[in-house]
């Protein structure tokens, strides 16, 4: 089966399935999102416009997404899924806390340079209140398999492994205004080795119809935990999401 067919089969599943509910209750919550990002003159992705799209669903006991990013020199695909453990889930009057497990697969192809496979397993903690505050933490381990085009006849694959962690804080007010922050080793389409963290801050607006517009800025610091800070990457992104 071709990748294109797999993608549209997954899209059909997410758009038609009724097996997912929101994290806090039994409402259906699925989304489709499109992103337009611009890089600055920093990092390997410098001076590029990046296009990406994601489909996903959030359930009371499970959630996941499929994302694709592309520009003239690079193609990325990320698949993520996680589930919440019933015996580690607590529902309070105005909030829910849950602990779960999940995994991520990421593929990246740089044209005429390299191919990369990333595999992550993690435990997940989430707190979500009915007032619109969500705090999520992921911690786990990652394995990376890289093939360099110029070296593949002599060194077919390069193997690495490292720790991974990420924290996200999101607040949506009754007016629809949203503020979100993220700090972690990786993001949706970039999986560097440990000690190259990124910092993200963004704002958004959520309409009652399910439409959401958001803008964020992401900075990655090379050797951010061990040496004086050096900005390796700075990306500005505009997103449009529809949740139903």
């Amino acid at each position: 089966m071709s990748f294109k067919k797999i993608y549209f089969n997954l899209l059909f599943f997410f758009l038609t399935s009724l097996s997912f509910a929101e994290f806090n209750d039994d409402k259906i919550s699925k989304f489709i999102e499109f992103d337009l990002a611009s890089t600055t003159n920093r990092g390997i992705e410098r001076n590029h416009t990046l296009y990406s799209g994601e489909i996903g669903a959030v359930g009371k006991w499970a959630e996941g997404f499929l994302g694709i990013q592309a520009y003239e020199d690079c193609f990325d695909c990320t698949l993520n899924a996680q589930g919440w453990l019933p015996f580690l889930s607590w529902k309070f009057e105005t909030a829910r806390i849950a602990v779960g497990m999940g995994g991520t697969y990421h593929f990246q192809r740089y044209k005429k340079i390299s191919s990369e496979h990333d595999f992550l397993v993690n435990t997940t903690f989430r707190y979500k209140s009915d007032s619109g505050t969500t705090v999520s933490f992921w911690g786990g381990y990652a394995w990376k398999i890289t093939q360099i085009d110029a070296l593949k006849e002599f060194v077919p694959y390069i193997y690495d492994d490292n720790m991974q962690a990420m924290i996200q804080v999101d607040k949506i007010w009754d007016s629809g205004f949203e503020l979100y922050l993220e700090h972690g080793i990786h993001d949706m389409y970039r999986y560097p080795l440990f000690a190259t963290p990124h910092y993200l801050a963004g704002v958004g607006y959520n309409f009652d119809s399910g439409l959401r517009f958001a803008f964020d800025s992401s900075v990655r610091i090379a050797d951010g935990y061990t040496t004086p800070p050096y900005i390796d990457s700075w990306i500005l992104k505009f997103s449009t999401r529809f949740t139903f």
Side-chain angles (χ1 to χ4, degrees):
M1 182 181 291
S2 68
F3 179 81
K4 181 186 248 185
K5 188 177 290 187
I6 293 173
Y7 177 81
F8 281 106
N9 284 343
L10 284 169
L11 175 63
F12 177 79
F13 168 77
F14 280 121
L15 294 181
T16 60
S17 171
L18 298 180
S19 63
F20 289 92
E22 284 192 358
F23 178 79
N24 272 25
D25 51 39
D26 293 328
K27 294 180 181 179
I28 300 167
S29 180
K30 292 161 284 186
F31 70 86
I32 182 168
E33 179 174 322
F34 298 99
D35 315 304
L36 178 65
S38 176
T39 63
T40 61
N41 60 353
R42 299 260 185 181
I44 192 173
E45 296 174 313
R46 65 182 62 188
N47 301 321
H48 280 292
T49 299
L50 315 177
Y51 305 91
S52 58
E54 297 82 37
I55 55 173
V58 178
K60 187 172 184 179
W61 299 108
E63 62 185 64
F65 70 82
L66 171 67
I68 292 177
Q69 176 183 264
Y71 65 96
E72 57 191 86
D73 296 324
C74 186
F75 171 83
D76 289 87
C77 177
T78 301
L79 180 63
N80 171 275
Q82 60 185 348
W84 307 103
L85 303 174
F87 55 89
L88 291 176
S89 175
W90 300 272
K91 185 70 172 72
F92 303 96
E93 183 176 350
T94 60
R96 180 188 175 198
I97 296 175
V99 177
M101 300 181 66
T104 300
Y105 167 70
H106 167 250
F107 170 76
Q108 182 182 77
R109 172 62 183 168
Y110 269 104
K111 185 178 179 181
K112 298 180 180 180
I113 298 177
S114 65
S115 298
E116 178 183 295
H117 301 268
D118 295 288
F119 304 88
L120 285 73
V121 294
N122 60 267
T123 56
T124 307
F125 167 88
R126 178 169 295 165
Y127 164 87
K128 183 174 182 180
S129 70
D130 293 340
S131 63
T133 300
T134 303
V135 179
S136 302
F137 174 79
W138 295 264
Y141 213 76
W143 295 264
K144 183 185 294 289
I145 303 174
T146 306
Q147 185 177 70
I148 308 297
D149 291 3
L151 301 177
K152 63 182 179 182
E153 293 185 7
F154 309 99
V155 184
Y157 297 101
I158 300 172
Y159 300 92
D160 292 289
D161 59 273
N162 63 109
M163 301 292 293
Q164 293 288 334
M166 179 187 295
I167 185 170
Q168 292 178 344
V169 180
D170 184 279
K171 170 65 176 178
I172 303 176
W173 282 266
D174 291 338
S175 64
F177 179 76
E178 179 179 359
L179 174 66
Y180 55 96
L181 304 170
E182 178 180 291
H183 171 56
I185 306 301
H186 65 86
D187 61 24
M188 187 177 296
Y189 297 112
R190 298 160 190 87
Y191 294 79
L193 297 178
F194 193 78
T196 310
H198 86 280
Y199 303 82
L200 181 147
V203 295
Y205 190 84
N206 298 266
F207 295 89
D208 293 338
S209 62
L211 189 63
R212 171 185 181 265
F213 295 107
F215 174 81
D216 58 61
S217 175
S218 175
V219 175
R220 184 170 296 282
I221 306 296
D223 296 322
Y225 300 137
T226 58
T227 63
Y230 172 78
I231 297 178
D232 179 67
S233 174
W234 184 18
I235 298 176
L236 307 174
K237 185 177 73 174
F238 177 78
S239 303
T240 302
R241 176 188 297 178
F242 181 65
T243 301
F244 52 99

